[in-house]
Amino acid sequence: MTGPAGANIRLASRMGRLGTESAFEVLARAKALEAIGRSIIHLEIGEPDFDTPEHIRTAAKEALDAGHTHYVPAPGILPLREAVAAFLERTGRLRTTPDRVIVTPGAKPIMFFTILALCEEGDEVVLPDPGFPMYESITAFAGATPVPVPLRERNGFRLDPDELASLVTDRTRLLILSSPHNPCGSALTRSDLEAIAAVAIEHDLVVLSDEVYWAIAYDRPHASILDFDGMPERTVLLDGWSKTFAMTGWRLGFGVFPRPLVEPVTRLVVNSVSCTSAHSQLAAIAALTGPWEPVDRMVAEFRKRRDVIVDGLNQIPGMSCLRPEGAFYVFPSIAGLGRPAAEVEALLLDRAGVACLAGTSFGAGGEGYLRFSYANSVENLHAALDAARGALAGL
């Protein structure tokens, strides 16, 4: 196309491989309805509705006042990388060293940099379906082939290790895991992870373990593939501050990498974002070393909301919903409504003023499902359920 200055702008063909995150598209449509006077209950966006705890905000203000407004090392300041390593060991998740920790502006760069560092044209990446849409998008952008492994409701939306093994080929380079899972709220068990670890070791796979929801677990302690012998040397742990500490807008994530990946990923940081803001990193230290009570209170409230929305959805004709084990999402079946998920998503927004996501936003395996975030008040959840029940009556 020709712009006003006569420049001929041609986009590279690989740009067409990049997808998007539907939550932000639905949020934009919901905001447009609000702008013309409609009342909308937001159950589409995936972020805690709690404020960042005060001690973390105070640490950021103090850092700014102390002049921490300049460049810092690309992988993160050493005190934060030390705090991450200590936090992981203190919480029983992983014993590691600061030199394997890389801090980035949000957790998505960890996904991007891992896939770019490992995958080339013709490689394959096995990823969950339904799953966070960026996994497939970034894989395709890198020129690799996404290989979906189905998460089925009859298995509690947990990956089946035998089915995983059947999808691995000599071109498989990376396996992506997500537990607790977005969008389904499911959590892999220790026996699941032990079997998955055996597959990874047998086929010499690298694993990207997305554990950003690890602290939001309800029915049993969080389990990780890193718990098993041989896995820390072949696993990238992806985590951050957004969900655990209600810090989505701070853009803070980290990865713990096998040693051969540290230098290549650091180079990707240098070439893309340079570094993560200094004052944010000092706030991140306060989060990791400060009181845990705000996290406990948030998780307790999420548990209460989970039960409200699951019980309510199961009372709507045509819908059924499993009780999730983690995160703050439900993934109800709408098979009984006899309509495509995208149509029901649009109907709920237009008729009920309830913003949610079609399951197909998370892959082909999401057809027949919706995702609701219950990061909203109990009062609003009850109102959304009532409105949805009325809008769906008679379908």
Side-chain angles (χ1 to χ4, degrees):
M1 61 181 175
T2 303
N8 185 25
I9 300 174
R10 291 182 296 173
L11 298 179
S13 60
R14 66 179 178 276
M15 292 305 298
R17 304 172 189 167
L18 273 179
T20 186
E21 194 169 345
S22 299
F24 292 103
E25 295 179 348
V26 175
L27 176 63
R29 293 201 298 271
K31 291 291 187 183
L33 290 172
E34 287 177 320
I36 60 172
R38 289 285 305 278
S39 177
I40 304 295
I41 300 174
H42 292 277
L43 306 182
E44 81 281 29
I45 201 71
E47 66 171 340
D49 57 317
F50 297 84
D51 291 332
T52 302
E54 184 178 1
H55 68 281
I56 302 172
R57 304 197 309 267
T58 298
K61 296 171 190 175
E62 292 176 348
L64 287 169
D65 289 342
H68 293 282
T69 58
H70 301 281
Y71 287 130
V72 292
I77 61 175
L78 180 58
L80 177 54
R81 290 184 286 131
E82 290 174 336
V84 167
F87 177 78
L88 291 171
E89 183 168 359
R90 186 170 72 251
T91 54
R93 297 176 63 201
L94 176 67
R95 177 173 290 181
T96 189
T97 52
D99 60 298
R100 291 178 53 190
V101 176
I102 296 177
V103 179
T104 52
K108 282 180 183 174
I110 301 298
M111 301 177 200
F112 226 118
F113 299 157
T114 298
I115 293 170
L116 287 177
L118 287 172
C119 299
E120 298 179 340
E121 200 85 33
D123 290 334
E124 294 176 349
V125 176
V126 178
L127 42 82
D129 179 19
F132 186 55
M134 298 301 96
Y135 303 149
E136 182 175 355
S137 174
I138 298 167
T139 296
F141 181 79
T145 301
V147 179
V149 56
L151 307 186
R152 295 187 171 86
E153 184 176 7
R154 64 175 179 267
N155 194 40
F157 294 117
R158 298 183 352 260
L159 184 153
D160 182 320
D162 292 332
E163 190 163 20
L164 164 66
S166 74
L167 295 171
V168 174
T169 72
D170 57 3
R171 301 172 72 180
T172 305
R173 192 81 171 96
L174 179 67
L175 164 63
I176 300 179
L177 301 178
S178 170
S179 181
H181 182 262
N182 175 17
C184 300
S186 51
L188 293 167
T189 67
R190 283 191 62 81
S191 59
D192 292 335
L193 290 161
E194 184 176 25
I196 293 167
V199 173
I201 290 170
E202 179 183 354
H203 295 278
D204 195 23
L205 303 180
V206 177
V207 175
L208 173 60
S209 185
D210 183 346
E211 301 185 21
V212 297
Y213 295 97
W214 77 275
I216 308 174
Y218 305 115
D219 302 317
R220 60 174 179 266
H222 173 69
S224 171
I225 199 161
L226 288 156
D227 297 338
F228 299 93
D229 289 344
M231 292 312 301
E233 295 78 22
R234 63 176 64 251
T235 300
V236 176
L237 170 63
L238 183 159
D239 200 350
W241 287 262
S242 290
K243 316 301 182 180
T244 303
F245 300 103
M247 296 175 69
T248 52
W250 295 72
R251 308 316 306 137
L252 281 165
F254 71 83
V256 181
F257 291 87
R259 292 192 188 281
L261 278 174
V262 171
E263 193 275 335
V265 170
T266 300
R267 270 190 285 142
L268 284 167
V269 174
V270 171
N271 279 272
S272 57
V273 298
S274 296
C275 62
T276 304
S277 65
H279 73 281
S280 296
Q281 294 194 52
L282 290 164
I285 295 173
L288 298 179
T289 59
W292 194 250
E293 287 80 6
V295 179
D296 285 338
R297 286 195 298 269
M298 182 178 70
V299 174
E301 180 63 22
F302 278 143
R303 180 194 295 270
K304 183 193 308 181
R305 297 173 182 182
R306 174 197 68 166
D307 293 340
V308 166
I309 195 168
V310 168
D311 293 346
L313 288 170
N314 280 322
Q315 293 173 17
I316 297 177
M319 300 182 75
S320 62
C321 186
L322 297 182
R323 198 170 303 273
E325 297 176 293
F328 39 77
Y329 308 111
V330 287
F331 203 66
S333 169
I334 56 169
L337 296 177
R339 304 288 181 93
E343 182 180 328
V344 179
E345 173 202 283
L347 185 152
L348 286 174
L349 182 59
D350 294 337
R351 291 191 191 175
V354 175
C356 66
L357 297 180
T360 45
S361 299
F362 303 92
E367 184 58 84
Y369 297 89
L370 298 175
R371 191 198 79 172
F372 294 90
S373 164
Y374 48 91
N376 209 320
S377 68
V378 168
E379 179 184 6
N380 281 341
L381 293 178
H382 280 301
L385 290 164
D386 290 342
R389 188 178 297 108
L392 297 174
L395 282 187

